[in-house]
Amino acid sequence: VPYADRAREKDGVKAMMRIIREHHPAPFAPPFLKMGEHVIAQTAAILHFLGPRLGLVPEDEPSRILALQLQLTIADLGTEVHDTHHPLGSHLYYEDQRTEALARSGGFVRERIPKFLGYFERMLGDRGHLVGDAASYVDLSMFQVLKGLEYAFPKAMTRMAPKIPGLTALAARVAKRPRIAAYLASERRIALNEDDLFRAYPELDIDPEA
Amino acid sequence: VPYADRAREKDGVKAMMRIIREHHPAPFAPPFLKMGEHVIAQTAAILHFLGPRLGLVPEDEPSRILALQLQLTIADLGTEVHDTHHPLGSHLYYEDQRTEALARSGGFVRERIPKFLGYFERMLGDRGHLVGDAASYVDLSMFQVLKGLEYAFPKAMTRMAPKIPGLTALAARVAKRPRIAAYLASERRIALNEDDLFRAYPELDIDPEA
């Protein structure tokens, strides 16, 4: 689907901030989607809006609500990932909260990763898709989260691998979808990095069973 | 609207856990809504589902998406409130993370409360409702969040009051709606308390300007 990633263009951040300041209703924060004069913020709301337009969610209401519910649970997992490196808040640098980040990451790899991924593996069952009987945006989000967790917490994810065969296979299938593969190989794909949600800080890559 | 709060009934928690274990698709965690055989988790998804059925959101798609977007931003604020007393995670007692809770609460009252509430005050404008031209579930959520913040962070909220006249008036109007008033006066209303999201820990009630 054609789209422009404005924030990465020249003066893109300035243009983005202008929308946050001047548009009504405004986003609280990026990311947001601008489609004509329509501005939508909050990833889960954007996906709920785009899903049926892109054929990435079944059209019946129970499926759309289930997709939203699962996406919000993925978002909760994402928030907890953020807290592993910023437990005291985004107003402080990581370097000023390393000790606390260690404590939070310990609980995250030992208790939260197994709880979240165990849940999604159960929801997946042997159906091959998290919602309905075809790929949905929830499958794509799950792919991204698994890649991020493998990047940030390789030791914990190595331990998890035998317990999440379904999710692992799902992620592999998503990566092979021709358009996703083309996207991943393109400059549009931003490599995982330490300014983003999933950060490879070796000291936080705690072995949950050590 | 008639409903049963099952978790508060005899063996209610057991019944709730059974649904989490056995229903498909299952909730990741409470709260969830059971309507016949339909189980929906995630507060924002529940409200998105119930909104049009209860006349608590305009029926057009842009309004419903805007309501979802604002509700998710309220949920983000709620998550940050949780982190004020559990910055190292839910796997530890509050008593074991008091120092970290102090640091996180400082940033929260100084930077995050003004940012979030300033945003919602702007979104409200002089329209009297956050979505459309009538009360929606987003207004009800905003009422609950303001009550919770006043309970947990009275010093910060006293400082904020002059800057959020619209939200303050909105909360007062919500509390006076006859059915909401009846609910608030009933046993169904659980008083704010220290086992819940908003906690009145005096040491965390930091004066942002002190």
Side-chain angles (χ1 to χ4, degrees):
Chain A
V1 178
Y3 71 94
D5 193 351
R6 294 286 186 214
R8 296 175 74 191
E9 295 174 4
K10 188 169 177 312
D11 291 328
V13 171
K14 212 181 284 179
M16 194 176 76
M17 296 310 294
R18 193 179 313 123
I19 289 175
I20 289 181
R21 262 196 329 272
E22 297 172 12
H23 199 273
H24 192 90
F28 178 70
F32 56 85
L33 170 74
K34 187 166 186 299
M35 215 172 101
E37 281 314 298
H38 206 51
V39 170
I40 304 174
Q42 287 283 357
T43 304
I46 294 169
L47 293 171
H48 181 72
F49 173 82
L50 288 180
R53 287 169 172 78
L54 305 185
L56 282 172
V57 73
E59 291 201 3
D60 65 292
E61 191 192 20
S63 296
R64 287 196 68 197
I65 292 284
L66 174 61
L68 176 60
Q69 171 186 321
L70 294 175
Q71 183 65 41
L72 290 172
T73 307
I74 290 173
D76 286 345
L77 170 53
T79 301
E80 294 198 23
V81 169
H82 183 263
D83 282 346
T84 60
H85 48 77
H86 278 82
L88 299 190
S90 300
H91 62 297
L92 297 175
Y93 291 111
Y94 168 65
E95 287 66 29
D96 296 328
Q97 47 189 310
R98 288 176 74 146
T99 309
E100 295 81 4
L102 263 179
R104 177 105 197 197
S105 296
F108 183 71
V109 299
R110 275 187 286 270
E111 302 190 19
R112 305 303 284 168
I113 287 184
K115 187 169 162 100
F116 273 107
L117 296 190
Y119 168 76
F120 286 115
E121 181 75 15
R122 275 201 316 286
M123 288 305 98
L124 182 62
D126 52 12
R127 293 174 307 108
H129 303 290
L130 282 160
V131 177
D133 53 10
S136 72
Y137 68 77
V138 182
D139 291 342
L140 306 190
S141 294
M142 185 53 59
F143 161 78
Q144 175 69 4
V145 161
L146 289 171
K147 291 299 115 184
L149 288 173
E150 287 164 9
Y151 177 77
F153 303 101
K155 288 179 187 155
M157 292 304 283
T158 300
R159 300 279 191 185
M160 276 308 293
K163 293 168 200 154
I164 51 167
L167 294 177
T168 306
L170 172 69
R173 279 198 307 279
V174 168
K176 277 189 202 147
R177 290 171 65 91
R179 292 174 186 179
I180 295 288
Y183 162 75
L184 293 174
S186 76
E187 286 188 1
R188 299 211 144 195
R189 174 67 167 182
I190 300 175
L192 291 156
N193 67 80
E194 283 54 59
D195 292 317
D196 217 327
L197 179 61
F198 297 99
R199 302 186 181 188
Y201 291 143
E203 64 273 25
L204 302 187
D205 177 26
I206 297 163
D207 184 342
E209 295 177 29
Chain B
V1 179
Y3 71 94
D5 193 351
R6 295 284 185 216
R8 296 175 73 192
E9 296 173 4
K10 189 172 177 307
D11 292 327
V13 172
K14 212 181 285 180
M16 195 175 76
M17 294 311 294
R18 193 178 314 124
I19 289 174
I20 289 181
R21 264 198 326 274
E22 297 174 13
H23 198 276
H24 193 90
F28 178 70
F32 56 85
L33 169 74
K34 186 167 187 298
M35 217 172 99
E37 283 313 299
H38 206 51
V39 171
I40 304 174
Q42 287 283 357
T43 304
I46 294 170
L47 294 171
H48 182 72
F49 174 81
L50 287 180
R53 287 168 173 79
L54 306 184
L56 282 172
V57 73
E59 292 200 4
D60 64 291
E61 191 192 23
S63 296
R64 287 195 70 197
I65 292 284
L66 174 60
L68 176 60
Q69 171 186 320
L70 293 175
Q71 183 65 40
L72 290 173
T73 307
I74 291 174
D76 286 345
L77 171 54
T79 301
E80 294 198 24
V81 169
H82 183 265
D83 282 345
T84 61
H85 48 78
H86 278 81
L88 299 191
S90 301
H91 62 294
L92 296 175
Y93 290 112
Y94 168 65
E95 287 67 26
D96 296 328
Q97 46 189 311
R98 287 175 75 147
T99 309
E100 295 81 3
L102 263 178
R104 177 105 196 197
S105 296
F108 183 71
V109 299
R110 275 187 285 270
E111 302 189 18
R112 303 305 283 169
I113 287 184
K115 187 169 162 101
F116 273 107
L117 296 190
Y119 168 77
F120 286 116
E121 181 76 15
R122 273 201 318 283
M123 289 304 98
L124 183 63
D126 52 11
R127 294 172 307 110
H129 303 288
L130 283 160
V131 178
D133 54 9
S136 73
Y137 69 77
V138 182
D139 291 343
L140 306 189
S141 294
M142 185 52 60
F143 162 79
Q144 176 69 4
V145 161
L146 290 171
K147 291 299 117 185
L149 288 173
E150 287 165 9
Y151 176 78
F153 303 101
K155 287 179 188 156
M157 291 303 283
T158 301
R159 300 279 191 188
M160 277 307 293
K163 293 167 202 156
I164 52 167
L167 294 178
T168 306
L170 171 69
R173 279 197 308 280
V174 167
K176 278 190 201 145
R177 290 171 67 90
R179 292 174 185 178
I180 296 288
Y183 161 75
L184 293 173
S186 76
E187 287 187 0
R188 299 211 143 192
R189 175 67 168 183
I190 301 174
L192 290 155
N193 68 79
E194 282 57 59
D195 293 317
D196 216 327
L197 179 62
F198 296 100
R199 304 188 180 187
Y201 292 143
E203 64 273 25
L204 301 187
D205 177 27
I206 297 163
D207 184 342
E209 296 179 27

